[in-house]
Amino acid sequence: MTLRIQCLDIDCREPGTVADFWEAALGWRRTHEAADQIVLEPPEGSPEDGVSPDLLFLRVPDPTPGKNRLHLDLRPDDQEREVERLEALGAKRARVGQPETVRWIVMSDPEGNEFCVLPPLSPDQ
Amino acid sequence: MTLRIQCLDIDCREPGTVADFWEAALGWRRTHEAADQIVLEPPEGSPEDGVSPDLLFLRVPDPTPGKNRLHLDLRPDDQEREVERLEALGAKRARVGQPETVRWIVMSDPEGNEFCVLPPLSPDQ
């Protein structure tokens, strides 16, 4: 394989605000910070370290034009507790047209980027 | 860490077309296919397998509202050769306001999702 995913880039009005949220939400570490960009990487020594894509928060002048075309799905151990923790960090529950019956919870980060908190993996998954 | 990134979700008008492109671009494997969604996972046995987020292509009715707020950066061994290969797969070079002097190449996939092909890592990175 000669082509790898290096990072997921997230356009921000205020990279610091958004990166603060995701740093706390995921427990990742800030490995680069400049005026217009911040990099988060997985915890040192974790299976994701050096393997999973980094998150790169970029300052851009333009606001989000509508619902994001790309979003992250997060897998918690305890869905309800994680949703409460994320709300305390500044996330909000979001309505994007999902049915009432779905098992995932749609939220948005402090700049309105939608993401989903999935149910925990069952033991046979 | 109790919250992990499970997958990156990509809204598509035609999931098959977009997943075909990314499957070939990255050399990933199709592990789930239904009418409205397709999952790609990293190659079996690779460092990314079971660690990096999957890619989930979801059928949605709405078109992209503008430039994507999130995008992927890809790291090639050989930038020029990979760009040619991606063009042959259906990607196009894109102008999103980047300066002429940047070392990454902005492209878009068959549905117009922008991504960047970075220069190769230099030995000291």
Coordinates of all heavy atoms in Angstrom, one line a residue, chain A residues 1-13 25-26 28 43 47-48 51-53 56 58 60 62-77 81-82 85-86 111 113 118, chain B residues 1-13 25-26 28 43 47-48 51-53 56 58 60 62-77 81-82 85-86 111 113 118:
Chain A
M1 N 0.9 -1.2 0.0 CA 0.0 0.0 0.0 C 0.9 1.2 0.0 O 1.8 1.4 0.8 CB -0.9 0.0 1.2 CG -1.9 1.1 1.3 SD -3.2 0.8 2.6 CE -2.1 0.5 4.0
T2 N 0.7 2.1 -1.0 CA 1.5 3.3 -1.1 C 0.8 4.6 -0.7 O 1.4 5.6 -0.8 CB 2.1 3.4 -2.5 OG1 1.0 3.4 -3.4 CG2 2.9 2.2 -2.9
L3 N -0.5 4.5 -0.4 CA -1.2 5.7 -0.1 C -2.0 5.4 1.2 O -2.8 4.5 1.3 CB -2.2 5.9 -1.2 CG -2.9 7.2 -1.3 CD1 -1.9 8.4 -1.6 CD2 -4.0 7.2 -2.4
R4 N -1.6 6.3 2.2 CA -2.3 6.1 3.5 C -3.0 7.4 3.9 O -2.7 8.4 3.4 CB -1.2 5.8 4.6 CG -0.5 4.5 4.4 CD 0.6 4.2 5.5 NE -0.1 4.1 6.7 CZ 0.1 4.8 7.8 NH1 1.0 5.8 7.7 NH2 -0.6 4.6 8.9
I5 N -4.0 7.2 4.8 CA -4.7 8.4 5.3 C -3.8 9.0 6.4 O -3.6 8.4 7.4 CB -6.1 8.0 5.8 CG1 -6.9 7.4 4.8 CG2 -6.8 9.3 6.3 CD1 -8.3 6.9 5.3
Q6 N -3.4 10.2 6.2 CA -2.5 10.9 7.1 C -3.3 11.6 8.2 O -3.0 11.5 9.4 CB -1.6 11.9 6.4 CG -0.8 12.8 7.4 CD 0.3 12.0 8.0 OE1 1.1 11.4 7.3 NE2 0.4 12.1 9.3
C7 N -4.3 12.3 7.8 CA -5.2 13.0 8.8 C -6.5 13.3 8.3 O -6.8 13.3 7.0 CB -4.4 14.3 9.3 SG -3.9 15.4 8.1
L8 N -7.4 13.6 9.2 CA -8.7 14.2 8.9 C -8.7 15.6 9.2 O -8.4 16.0 10.4 CB -9.8 13.5 9.7 CG -11.2 14.0 9.5 CD1 -11.7 13.8 8.0 CD2 -12.2 13.4 10.5
D9 N -8.9 16.5 8.2 CA -8.9 17.9 8.4 C -10.3 18.5 8.7 O -11.2 18.1 8.0 CB -8.4 18.6 7.1 CG -7.0 18.1 6.7 OD1 -6.8 16.9 6.5 OD2 -6.1 18.9 6.6
I10 N -10.3 19.4 9.7 CA -11.6 19.9 10.1 C -11.5 21.5 10.0 O -10.7 22.1 10.7 CB -12.0 19.5 11.5 CG1 -12.0 17.9 11.5 CG2 -13.3 20.1 12.0 CD1 -12.2 17.3 12.9
D11 N -12.3 22.1 9.1 CA -12.3 23.5 9.0 C -13.0 24.1 10.2 O -14.0 23.7 10.6 CB -13.1 23.9 7.7 CG -12.4 23.7 6.4 OD1 -11.2 23.2 6.5 OD2 -13.0 23.9 5.4
C12 N -12.4 25.2 10.7 CA -12.9 25.8 12.0 C -12.9 27.3 11.8 O -12.0 27.9 11.2 CB -12.0 25.5 13.1 SG -11.7 23.7 13.5
R13 N -13.8 27.9 12.5 CA -13.7 29.4 12.7 C -12.7 29.7 13.8 O -11.9 30.6 13.7 CB -15.0 30.0 13.0 CG -16.0 29.9 11.8 CD -17.3 30.7 12.0 NE -18.0 30.1 13.1 CZ -18.8 29.1 13.1 NH1 -19.0 28.4 11.9 NH2 -19.5 28.6 14.1
A25 N -12.7 15.2 24.5 CA -13.7 14.1 24.2 C -13.0 12.8 24.0 O -13.4 11.7 24.4 CB -14.4 14.5 22.9
L26 N -11.8 12.8 23.3 CA -11.2 11.6 22.9 C -10.0 11.2 23.8 O -9.5 10.1 23.7 CB -10.7 11.7 21.4 CG -11.7 11.8 20.3 CD1 -11.1 12.2 19.0 CD2 -12.5 10.5 20.2
W28 N -7.1 12.6 23.4 CA -5.9 12.7 22.5 C -5.0 13.8 23.0 O -5.3 14.5 24.0 CB -6.3 12.9 21.1 CG -6.9 11.7 20.4 CD1 -7.6 10.6 21.1 CD2 -7.0 11.3 19.1 NE1 -8.0 9.7 20.2 CE2 -7.6 10.1 18.9 CE3 -6.5 12.0 17.9 CZ2 -7.8 9.5 17.7 CZ3 -6.7 11.4 16.7 CH2 -7.3 10.1 16.6
P43 N -3.3 8.9 22.0 CA -2.4 8.8 23.2 C -1.2 8.1 22.8 O -1.2 7.1 22.1 CB -3.3 8.1 24.2 CG -4.7 8.3 23.8 CD -4.7 8.4 22.3
P47 N -2.8 1.7 20.7 CA -2.7 1.1 19.4 C -2.9 2.0 18.2 O -2.4 1.8 17.1 CB -3.9 0.1 19.4 CG -4.2 -0.1 20.9 CD -3.8 1.2 21.6
E48 N -3.6 3.2 18.5 CA -3.8 4.2 17.4 C -2.6 5.0 17.1 O -2.5 5.6 16.1 CB -5.0 5.1 17.8 CG -6.3 4.4 17.8 CD -6.7 3.7 19.0 OE1 -5.8 3.6 20.0 OE2 -7.8 3.1 19.1
V51 N -0.7 5.2 13.8 CA -1.4 4.3 12.9 C -2.7 5.0 12.4 O -2.9 5.1 11.2 CB -1.7 2.9 13.5 CG1 -2.6 2.1 12.6 CG2 -0.5 2.2 13.9
S52 N -3.5 5.4 13.3 CA -4.8 6.1 13.0 C -4.5 7.5 12.5 O -3.5 8.1 12.8 CB -5.7 6.2 14.2 OG -6.4 5.0 14.4
P53 N -5.4 8.0 11.6 CA -5.2 9.4 11.1 C -5.2 10.4 12.3 O -6.0 10.2 13.2 CB -6.4 9.6 10.2 CG -6.9 8.2 9.8 CD -6.5 7.4 11.0
L56 N -6.6 17.3 12.3 CA -6.0 18.6 12.0 C -7.1 19.7 11.9 O -8.0 19.6 11.1 CB -5.2 18.5 10.7 CG -4.6 19.8 10.1 CD1 -3.7 20.5 11.1 CD2 -3.9 19.5 8.8
L58 N -8.1 23.4 11.2 CA -7.6 24.5 10.3 C -8.5 25.7 10.4 O -9.8 25.6 10.4 CB -7.6 24.0 8.9 CG -6.7 22.9 8.5 CD1 -7.1 22.3 7.1 CD2 -5.3 23.3 8.6
V60 N -10.4 28.7 9.0 CA -10.9 29.1 7.7 C -11.9 30.2 7.9 O -12.6 30.3 9.0 CB -11.6 28.0 6.9 CG1 -10.7 26.9 6.5 CG2 -12.8 27.5 7.6
D62 N -14.7 30.8 6.2 CA -16.1 30.6 5.8 C -16.8 29.7 6.8 O -16.3 28.7 7.3 CB -16.1 29.9 4.4 CG -15.1 28.8 4.3 OD1 -13.9 29.1 4.7 OD2 -15.4 27.7 3.7
P63 N -18.1 29.9 7.0 CA -18.9 29.1 8.0 C -19.3 27.8 7.3 O -19.2 27.7 6.0 CB -20.1 30.0 8.3 CG -20.3 30.8 7.0 CD -18.9 31.0 6.5
T64 N -19.8 26.9 8.0 CA -20.3 25.6 7.5 C -21.5 25.9 6.6 O -22.4 26.6 7.0 CB -20.7 24.7 8.6 OG1 -19.6 24.5 9.5 CG2 -21.2 23.3 8.1
P65 N -21.5 25.4 5.4 CA -22.6 25.7 4.4 C -23.8 24.9 4.7 O -24.8 25.2 4.0 CB -21.9 25.4 3.1 CG -21.0 24.3 3.4 CD -20.4 24.6 4.7
G66 N -23.9 24.0 5.6 CA -25.1 23.2 5.8 C -24.6 22.0 6.6 O -23.6 22.0 7.2
K67 N -25.4 20.9 6.5 CA -25.1 19.7 7.2 C -23.8 19.2 6.6 O -23.6 19.1 5.4 CB -26.2 18.7 7.0 CG -25.9 17.3 7.6 CD -27.1 16.4 7.5 CE -26.8 14.9 7.7 NZ -26.2 14.3 6.5
N68 N -22.8 18.7 7.5 CA -21.6 18.2 7.0 C -21.8 17.0 6.2 O -22.6 16.1 6.5 CB -20.7 17.9 8.2 CG -19.9 19.0 8.7 OD1 -19.7 20.0 8.0 ND2 -19.4 18.9 9.9
R69 N -21.0 16.9 5.1 CA -21.0 15.7 4.2 C -20.2 14.6 4.8 O -20.4 13.4 4.4 CB -20.4 16.2 2.9 CG -20.7 15.3 1.7 CD -22.1 15.5 1.2 NE -22.4 14.7 0.0 CZ -23.6 14.4 -0.4 NH1 -24.7 15.0 0.1 NH2 -23.8 13.7 -1.5
L70 N -19.3 14.9 5.7 CA -18.5 13.8 6.4 C -18.7 14.0 7.9 O -18.8 15.2 8.3 CB -17.0 14.0 6.0 CG -16.5 13.5 4.7 CD1 -16.9 14.4 3.6 CD2 -15.0 13.3 4.7
H71 N -18.8 12.9 8.6 CA -18.8 13.0 10.0 C -18.2 11.8 10.7 O -18.0 10.8 10.1 CB -20.3 13.3 10.5 CG -21.2 12.1 10.4 ND1 -22.0 11.8 9.3 CD2 -21.4 11.0 11.2 CE1 -22.6 10.7 9.5 NE2 -22.3 10.2 10.6
L72 N -17.9 11.9 12.0 CA -17.3 10.9 12.7 C -18.3 10.1 13.5 O -19.2 10.7 14.1 CB -16.2 11.4 13.7 CG -15.0 12.0 13.1 CD1 -14.1 12.7 14.1 CD2 -14.1 10.9 12.4
D73 N -18.2 8.8 13.6 CA -18.9 8.0 14.5 C -18.0 7.5 15.7 O -16.9 7.0 15.4 CB -19.4 6.7 13.8 CG -20.7 6.9 13.0 OD1 -21.2 8.1 13.0 OD2 -21.1 6.0 12.3
L74 N -18.5 7.8 16.9 CA -17.6 7.4 18.0 C -18.2 6.2 18.8 O -19.4 6.1 18.9 CB -17.6 8.6 19.0 CG -17.2 10.0 18.4 CD1 -17.2 11.1 19.4 CD2 -15.8 9.9 17.7
R75 N -17.3 5.4 19.3 CA -17.8 4.1 20.0 C -17.5 4.3 21.4 O -16.3 4.3 21.8 CB -17.1 2.9 19.4 CG -17.5 1.6 20.0 CD -18.8 1.1 19.5 NE -18.7 0.7 18.1 CZ -19.8 0.3 17.4 NH1 -21.0 0.2 18.0 NH2 -19.7 -0.1 16.2
P76 N -18.5 4.4 22.3 CA -18.2 4.5 23.7 C -18.3 3.1 24.4 O -18.9 2.2 23.9 CB -19.4 5.3 24.2 CG -20.5 4.9 23.3 CD -19.9 4.5 22.0
D77 N -17.8 3.1 25.6 CA -18.1 1.9 26.5 C -19.5 2.0 27.1 O -20.2 1.1 27.3 CB -17.1 1.8 27.6 CG -15.7 1.3 27.1 OD1 -15.7 0.8 26.0 OD2 -14.7 1.5 27.9
R81 N -23.4 7.7 29.7 CA -22.4 8.5 30.5 C -21.5 9.3 29.6 O -21.2 10.5 29.9 CB -21.5 7.5 31.3 CG -20.9 8.1 32.5 CD -20.1 7.1 33.3 NE -18.9 6.7 32.4 CZ -18.1 5.8 32.8 NH1 -18.2 5.1 33.9 NH2 -17.1 5.4 32.0
E82 N -21.2 8.8 28.4 CA -20.3 9.6 27.4 C -21.1 10.8 26.9 O -20.5 11.9 26.7 CB -19.8 8.7 26.3 CG -18.7 7.8 26.7 CD -17.4 8.5 27.1 OE1 -17.2 9.7 26.7 OE2 -16.6 7.9 27.8
R85 N -21.0 13.4 29.4 CA -19.7 14.0 29.5 C -19.4 15.0 28.3 O -18.9 16.1 28.5 CB -18.6 12.9 29.5 CG -17.2 13.4 29.8 CD -16.2 12.2 29.9 NE -16.0 11.6 28.6 CZ -15.0 12.0 27.7 NH1 -14.3 13.0 28.0 NH2 -14.8 11.4 26.6
L86 N -19.9 14.6 27.1 CA -19.7 15.4 25.9 C -20.5 16.7 26.0 O -20.1 17.7 25.6 CB -20.0 14.6 24.7 CG -19.1 13.4 24.4 CD1 -19.7 12.5 23.4 CD2 -17.7 13.9 23.9
E111 N -18.7 24.0 17.2 CA -18.9 24.8 16.0 C -20.0 24.1 15.1 O -20.2 24.5 14.0 CB -17.6 25.0 15.2 CG -16.7 26.0 15.9 CD -15.7 26.6 14.9 OE1 -15.6 26.1 13.8 OE2 -15.0 27.5 15.4
N113 N -20.3 20.9 14.1 CA -20.0 19.7 13.3 C -20.7 18.5 14.0 O -20.4 18.1 15.1 CB -18.5 19.4 13.4 CG -17.7 20.6 12.7 OD1 -17.9 20.9 11.6 ND2 -16.8 21.2 13.5
L118 N -22.3 6.0 19.1 CA -22.9 4.7 18.8 C -23.2 4.0 20.1 O -22.7 4.4 21.2 CB -22.0 3.8 18.0 CG -21.5 4.5 16.7 CD1 -20.4 3.6 16.1 CD2 -22.6 4.7 15.7
Chain B
M1 N -9.1 5.1 28.0 CA -9.9 5.8 26.9 C -11.2 5.0 26.7 O -11.1 3.8 26.4 CB -9.0 5.9 25.6 CG -9.7 6.7 24.6 SD -8.6 7.0 23.2 CE -7.9 5.4 22.9
T2 N -12.3 5.7 26.8 CA -13.5 4.9 26.7 C -14.3 5.4 25.4 O -15.4 4.9 25.2 CB -14.4 5.2 27.9 OG1 -14.6 6.7 28.0 CG2 -13.8 4.7 29.2
L3 N -13.7 6.2 24.6 CA -14.4 6.7 23.4 C -13.4 6.7 22.3 O -12.4 7.4 22.3 CB -14.9 8.2 23.7 CG -15.9 8.8 22.7 CD1 -17.2 8.1 22.8 CD2 -16.1 10.3 23.0
R4 N -13.7 5.9 21.3 CA -12.9 5.7 20.1 C -13.6 6.1 18.9 O -14.8 6.1 18.8 CB -12.4 4.2 20.0 CG -11.6 3.8 21.2 CD -11.1 2.3 21.0 NE -10.2 2.2 19.9 CZ -10.4 1.4 18.8 NH1 -11.6 0.7 18.8 NH2 -9.6 1.4 17.8
I5 N -12.8 6.5 17.9 CA -13.4 6.8 16.6 C -13.6 5.5 15.8 O -12.7 4.7 15.5 CB -12.5 7.7 15.7 CG1 -12.2 9.0 16.5 CG2 -13.2 8.0 14.4 CD1 -11.2 9.9 15.7
Q6 N -14.9 5.2 15.6 CA -15.2 3.9 14.9 C -15.1 4.0 13.4 O -14.6 3.2 12.7 CB -16.7 3.5 15.3 CG -17.2 2.3 14.6 CD -16.6 1.0 15.0 OE1 -16.5 0.7 16.2 NE2 -16.0 0.2 14.1
C7 N -15.7 5.1 12.9 CA -15.6 5.2 11.4 C -15.8 6.7 11.0 O -16.3 7.5 11.8 CB -16.7 4.4 10.7 SG -18.3 4.6 11.2
L8 N -15.4 7.0 9.8 CA -15.7 8.2 9.2 C -16.8 8.0 8.1 O -16.7 7.1 7.3 CB -14.4 8.8 8.5 CG -14.6 10.1 7.7 CD1 -15.0 11.2 8.6 CD2 -13.4 10.4 6.9
D9 N -17.9 8.7 8.3 CA -19.1 8.5 7.4 C -19.0 9.5 6.3 O -18.8 10.7 6.6 CB -20.4 8.8 8.3 CG -20.5 7.8 9.4 OD1 -19.5 7.8 10.3 OD2 -21.5 7.1 9.5
I10 N -19.3 9.1 5.1 CA -19.3 10.0 4.0 C -20.7 9.9 3.3 O -21.1 8.8 2.8 CB -18.2 9.5 3.0 CG1 -16.8 9.6 3.7 CG2 -18.2 10.4 1.7 CD1 -15.7 9.0 3.0
D11 N -21.4 11.0 3.2 CA -22.7 11.0 2.6 C -22.5 11.0 1.1 O -21.6 11.7 0.5 CB -23.4 12.4 2.9 CG -23.9 12.4 4.3 OD1 -23.8 11.4 5.0 OD2 -24.5 13.5 4.7
C12 N -23.3 10.1 0.4 CA -23.1 9.9 -1.1 C -24.5 9.9 -1.7 O -25.5 9.5 -1.2 CB -22.5 8.5 -1.3 SG -21.0 8.2 -0.5
R13 N -24.5 10.4 -3.0 CA -25.7 10.2 -3.8 C -25.7 8.7 -4.3 O -26.7 8.1 -4.3 CB -25.7 11.2 -5.0 CG -25.9 12.6 -4.5 CD -26.1 13.6 -5.6 NE -25.0 13.6 -6.5 CZ -23.9 14.4 -6.2 NH1 -23.8 15.1 -5.1 NH2 -22.8 14.4 -7.0
A25 N -8.4 3.4 -4.5 CA -7.4 4.5 -4.1 C -6.6 4.0 -3.0 O -5.3 4.2 -3.0 CB -8.1 5.8 -3.8
L26 N -7.2 3.4 -2.0 CA -6.5 3.1 -0.7 C -6.0 1.6 -0.7 O -5.2 1.3 0.2 CB -7.3 3.4 0.5 CG -7.7 4.9 0.7 CD1 -8.8 5.0 1.8 CD2 -6.4 5.7 1.1
W28 N -8.2 -0.7 0.2 CA -8.9 -1.2 1.3 C -9.9 -2.3 0.8 O -10.0 -2.6 -0.4 CB -9.7 -0.1 2.1 CG -8.8 0.7 2.9 CD1 -7.4 1.0 2.7 CD2 -9.1 1.5 4.1 NE1 -6.9 1.8 3.6 CE2 -7.9 2.2 4.5 CE3 -10.3 1.7 4.8 CZ2 -7.9 3.0 5.6 CZ3 -10.2 2.5 5.9 CH2 -9.1 3.2 6.3
P43 N -6.6 -3.1 4.9 CA -6.2 -4.4 4.5 C -6.1 -5.4 5.7 O -5.5 -4.9 6.7 CB -4.9 -4.2 3.7 CG -4.9 -2.8 3.3 CD -5.7 -2.1 4.3
P47 N -1.2 -2.7 9.8 CA -1.3 -2.1 11.1 C -2.6 -1.4 11.4 O -3.0 -1.2 12.5 CB -0.1 -1.1 11.0 CG 0.8 -1.6 9.9 CD -0.1 -2.3 9.0
E48 N -3.3 -0.9 10.3 CA -4.5 -0.2 10.4 C -5.7 -1.1 10.7 O -6.7 -0.6 11.2 CB -4.8 0.6 9.2 CG -3.9 1.8 8.9 CD -2.6 1.4 8.2 OE1 -2.4 0.2 8.0 OE2 -1.8 2.3 7.9
V51 N -7.8 -1.0 13.9 CA -7.3 0.1 14.7 C -7.8 1.4 14.1 O -8.4 2.3 14.8 CB -5.8 0.1 14.8 CG1 -5.3 1.3 15.5 CG2 -5.3 -1.2 15.5
S52 N -7.5 1.7 12.9 CA -8.0 2.9 12.2 C -9.5 2.9 12.0 O -10.1 1.8 11.8 CB -7.3 3.0 10.9 OG -6.0 3.5 11.0
P53 N -10.1 4.1 11.9 CA -11.5 4.2 11.6 C -11.8 3.5 10.3 O -11.0 3.7 9.3 CB -11.8 5.7 11.6 CG -10.7 6.3 12.4 CD -9.5 5.4 12.1
L56 N -17.4 4.6 6.0 CA -18.8 4.2 5.8 C -19.4 5.1 4.8 O -19.5 6.3 5.0 CB -19.5 4.2 7.1 CG -21.0 4.0 7.2 CD1 -21.4 2.7 6.5 CD2 -21.5 4.0 8.6
L58 N -22.6 6.3 2.9 CA -24.1 6.3 3.2 C -24.8 7.0 2.1 O -24.5 8.1 1.6 CB -24.4 7.1 4.5 CG -23.8 6.5 5.8 CD1 -23.9 7.6 6.9 CD2 -24.5 5.3 6.2
V60 N -27.6 9.3 0.7 CA -28.4 10.4 1.2 C -29.0 11.1 0.0 O -28.4 11.1 -1.1 CB -27.6 11.5 2.1 CG1 -27.1 10.8 3.3 CG2 -26.5 12.1 1.3
D62 N -29.6 14.4 -0.3 CA -29.2 15.8 -0.5 C -27.8 15.9 -1.1 O -26.9 15.2 -0.7 CB -29.3 16.6 0.8 CG -28.7 15.7 2.0 OD1 -29.0 14.5 2.0 OD2 -27.9 16.3 2.7
P63 N -27.6 16.9 -2.0 CA -26.3 17.1 -2.6 C -25.4 17.8 -1.6 O -25.8 18.4 -0.6 CB -26.5 18.0 -3.8 CG -27.8 18.7 -3.4 CD -28.6 17.8 -2.5
T64 N -24.1 17.8 -1.9 CA -23.1 18.6 -1.1 C -23.5 20.1 -1.1 O -23.7 20.6 -2.2 CB -21.7 18.4 -1.6 OG1 -21.4 17.0 -1.6 CG2 -20.7 19.1 -0.7
P65 N -23.6 20.7 0.1 CA -24.0 22.1 0.1 C -22.9 23.1 -0.3 O -23.2 24.3 -0.4 CB -24.5 22.3 1.5 CG -23.7 21.3 2.3 CD -23.5 20.2 1.4
G66 N -21.7 22.7 -0.5 CA -20.6 23.6 -0.8 C -19.3 22.8 -0.5 O -19.3 21.6 -0.4
K67 N -18.2 23.6 -0.3 CA -17.0 22.9 0.0 C -17.1 22.1 1.3 O -17.7 22.6 2.3 CB -15.9 24.0 0.2 CG -14.5 23.5 0.6 CD -13.5 24.6 0.6 CE -12.2 24.2 1.4 NZ -12.4 24.4 2.8
N68 N -16.6 20.9 1.3 CA -16.7 20.1 2.5 C -15.9 20.7 3.7 O -14.9 21.3 3.5 CB -16.1 18.7 2.3 CG -17.1 17.7 1.6 OD1 -18.3 17.9 1.7 ND2 -16.5 16.7 1.1
R69 N -16.6 20.6 4.9 CA -16.0 21.1 6.1 C -14.9 20.2 6.6 O -14.0 20.6 7.4 CB -17.1 21.3 7.1 CG -16.8 22.2 8.3 CD -16.9 23.6 7.9 NE -16.6 24.5 9.1 CZ -16.3 25.8 9.0 NH1 -16.3 26.4 7.8 NH2 -16.1 26.5 10.0
L70 N -15.0 18.9 6.3 CA -14.0 17.9 6.7 C -13.5 17.3 5.4 O -14.2 17.1 4.4 CB -14.7 16.8 7.5 CG -15.0 17.1 9.0 CD1 -16.2 18.0 9.1 CD2 -15.3 15.8 9.8
H71 N -12.2 17.0 5.4 CA -11.6 16.3 4.3 C -10.4 15.4 4.7 O -9.8 15.6 5.8 CB -11.2 17.2 3.2 CG -10.0 18.1 3.5 ND1 -10.1 19.4 4.0 CD2 -8.7 17.9 3.3 CE1 -8.9 19.9 4.1 NE2 -8.0 19.0 3.8
L72 N -10.0 14.5 3.9 CA -8.9 13.6 4.2 C -7.6 14.1 3.5 O -7.7 14.6 2.4 CB -9.2 12.2 3.7 CG -10.3 11.4 4.4 CD1 -10.7 10.2 3.6 CD2 -9.9 11.1 5.8
D73 N -6.5 13.9 4.2 CA -5.2 14.1 3.7 C -4.6 12.8 3.5 O -4.5 12.0 4.4 CB -4.3 15.0 4.6 CG -4.6 16.4 4.5 OD1 -5.4 16.9 3.7 OD2 -4.0 17.2 5.3
L74 N -4.1 12.5 2.3 CA -3.5 11.2 2.0 C -2.0 11.4 1.8 O -1.5 12.4 1.3 CB -4.1 10.6 0.7 CG -5.6 10.6 0.6 CD1 -6.0 10.0 -0.7 CD2 -6.2 9.7 1.8
R75 N -1.2 10.4 2.3 CA 0.2 10.4 2.2 C 0.7 9.4 1.3 O 0.5 8.2 1.5 CB 0.8 10.2 3.6 CG 2.3 10.2 3.7 CD 2.9 11.6 3.7 NE 2.6 12.3 4.9 CZ 2.9 13.5 5.2 NH1 3.5 14.3 4.3 NH2 2.6 14.1 6.4
P76 N 1.3 9.8 0.1 CA 1.8 8.8 -0.9 C 3.3 8.6 -0.7 O 4.0 9.4 -0.1 CB 1.6 9.6 -2.2 CG 1.9 11.0 -1.8 CD 1.4 11.2 -0.3
D77 N 3.8 7.5 -1.3 CA 5.2 7.3 -1.5 C 5.7 8.2 -2.6 O 6.8 8.7 -2.6 CB 5.5 5.8 -1.8 CG 5.4 5.0 -0.5 OD1 5.3 5.5 0.6 OD2 5.3 3.7 -0.7
R81 N 3.1 10.0 -9.2 CA 2.5 8.8 -9.7 C 1.1 8.5 -9.1 O 0.2 8.0 -9.8 CB 3.5 7.6 -9.4 CG 3.4 6.5 -10.3 CD 4.4 5.4 -9.9 NE 4.0 4.8 -8.6 CZ 4.8 3.9 -8.0 NH1 5.9 3.4 -8.5 NH2 4.4 3.5 -6.8
E82 N 1.0 8.8 -7.8 CA -0.3 8.6 -7.2 C -1.4 9.5 -7.7 O -2.5 9.1 -7.9 CB -0.2 8.7 -5.6 CG 0.4 7.6 -4.9 CD -0.4 6.3 -5.0 OE1 -1.6 6.3 -5.2 OE2 0.3 5.2 -4.9
R85 N -2.5 8.0 -10.9 CA -3.4 6.8 -10.7 C -4.8 7.2 -10.2 O -5.8 6.7 -10.7 CB -2.7 6.0 -9.6 CG -3.3 4.6 -9.4 CD -2.5 3.7 -8.4 NE -2.6 4.2 -7.1 CZ -3.6 3.8 -6.2 NH1 -4.6 3.0 -6.6 NH2 -3.7 4.3 -5.0
L86 N -4.8 8.2 -9.3 CA -6.1 8.7 -8.8 C -7.0 9.3 -9.9 O -8.2 9.2 -10.0 CB -5.9 9.6 -7.6 CG -5.3 9.0 -6.4 CD1 -4.8 10.1 -5.4 CD2 -6.3 8.1 -5.7
E111 N -17.7 12.2 -6.6 CA -18.8 13.0 -6.2 C -18.4 14.4 -5.7 O -19.2 15.1 -5.1 CB -19.7 12.3 -5.2 CG -20.5 11.2 -5.8 CD -21.7 10.8 -4.9 OE1 -21.9 11.3 -3.8 OE2 -22.5 9.9 -5.4
N113 N -16.0 15.2 -3.4 CA -15.5 15.4 -2.1 C -14.0 15.7 -2.2 O -13.2 14.9 -2.8 CB -15.6 14.1 -1.3 CG -17.1 13.7 -1.1 OD1 -17.9 14.5 -0.5 ND2 -17.5 12.6 -1.5
L118 N -0.6 14.7 -0.2 CA 0.5 15.4 0.4 C 1.8 15.0 -0.3 O 1.9 14.0 -1.0 CB 0.7 15.0 1.9 CG -0.6 15.2 2.8 CD1 -0.4 14.6 4.2 CD2 -0.9 16.7 2.9

